[in-house]
Amino acid sequence: MTENPDTHTLTPLREGFLRSFVRWFLVGVALLWSLAVLTLAAARWIDPPTTAVHMQRRLQAWIHHKPYHERYEFVPLSQISPDFQHAVIAAEDARFYQHHGFDWHAIQIAAEEDMEAGPIRGGSTLTQQLVKNLFFGTGRSILRKGAEFTLVPMAELVLGKHRILELYLNVVEWGPGVYGAESACRYYYRTSARNIDRQQSAQLAAILPLPLKRRPDHMIRYSGLILERMRQVGW
């Protein structure tokens, strides 16, 4: 029985190709990760002109031939009402100033609430949500979760809490084409983020993280819970 001479040559070729593919894939991943870290470092001083979520919504509107008008105005944290800041923290990440990017206790609570009464609030921290907004959009995948897991601590390290809160409040989605606190306040209440009152702040915070499905004026019950959380911590 004669052996096929091609058998011994194809196997090393395949193995070599696989090793080369894996090597270049890892190099590509490392380069993309490094670019993301550099982007985070730049975001400490430079306000992002757009985010992955913004680009995703524009692409979706183009694909489905729907009109799209983007409202996005970046303002300093000093021009956002403290009540608004506190309402968002109370709604989305009560331990924002205590954790280092991940709040495992909040994740467990969110999972229990989902099972008992449906989704009320997410378990992601503001830092996690910021990283997702900047780089990944709204999609979910194992690769995205893995990249997020490594980028969140870097965001905490290079940005700090003040800048993370400022970036998050300015880029987060608050409705169809509505991004950031200033645009949200003007879109829903025709006022500025500096002048929004306590009740309105809680109602706007209540539509997160489902801003395309919720309306502030329909969130009376949940906004009341947010106000109570704020009172409990002295805000």
Side-chain angles (χ1 to χ4, degrees):
M1 183 174 182
T2 59
E3 294 184 3
N4 188 346
D6 292 337
T7 303
H8 297 291
T9 58
L10 285 176
T11 300
L13 283 174
R14 288 171 181 164
E15 291 177 352
F17 174 79
L18 181 59
R19 284 195 297 269
S20 179
F21 174 80
V22 171
R23 181 168 59 250
W24 283 109
F25 176 78
L26 293 176
V27 169
V29 169
L31 288 174
L32 288 174
W33 187 86
S34 300
L35 180 61
V37 172
L38 289 174
T39 302
L40 285 174
R44 184 178 180 91
W45 299 280
I46 302 173
D47 302 333
T50 189
T51 72
V53 172
H54 298 192
M55 292 186 285
Q56 176 187 341
R57 297 307 187 203
R58 285 196 292 269
L59 179 61
Q60 288 173 339
W62 179 77
I63 291 174
H64 297 290
H65 305 287
K66 293 183 177 180
Y68 179 79
H69 175 63
E70 184 173 297
R71 300 170 177 85
Y72 176 44
E73 182 179 353
F74 201 105
V75 297
L77 194 61
S78 60
Q79 293 183 23
I80 300 176
S81 162
D83 282 334
F84 197 178
Q85 298 177 38
H86 296 155
V88 170
I89 293 172
E92 292 292 288
D93 189 0
R95 288 167 44 84
F96 174 65
Y97 291 108
Q98 282 76 52
H99 65 67
H100 299 289
F102 298 99
D103 188 347
W104 306 111
H105 180 64
I107 293 172
Q108 180 182 357
I109 292 175
E112 292 172 355
E113 287 180 346
D114 286 354
M115 289 187 292
E116 293 175 2
I120 296 177
R121 60 193 174 104
S124 297
T125 64
L126 295 188
T127 314
Q128 287 176 267
Q129 294 180 51
L130 175 63
V131 168
K132 183 180 72 173
N133 269 268
L134 290 175
F135 302 113
F136 304 113
T138 61
R140 296 183 178 184
S141 70
I142 295 176
L143 286 176
R144 195 215 83 186
K145 280 293 185 183
E148 178 186 304
F149 188 80
T150 62
L151 287 173
V152 164
M154 295 302 300
E156 288 273 335
L157 178 65
V158 303
L159 295 174
K161 293 295 187 181
H162 181 277
R163 183 59 171 168
I164 288 171
L165 181 59
E166 183 174 64
L167 287 167
Y168 176 81
L169 289 173
N170 275 287
V171 304
V172 70
E173 186 176 39
W174 247 295
V178 181
Y179 303 100
E182 184 71 16
S183 298
C185 292
R186 296 194 180 279
Y187 179 74
Y188 289 109
Y189 296 115
R190 302 195 181 281
T191 188
S192 67
R194 181 196 295 271
N195 296 321
I196 190 171
D197 66 32
R198 191 175 178 87
Q199 178 64 42
Q200 292 169 337
S201 297
Q203 288 179 318
L204 273 180
I207 71 174
L208 301 173
L210 299 171
L212 300 183
K213 296 182 178 180
R214 296 175 177 175
R215 296 281 300 182
D217 54 348
H218 295 165
M219 304 302 294
I220 304 302
R221 177 178 171 275
Y222 185 32
S223 64
L225 294 176
I226 293 171
L227 289 171
E228 179 58 30
R229 291 176 193 165
M230 293 167 65
R231 283 190 288 269
Q232 288 175 357
V233 296
W235 288 337

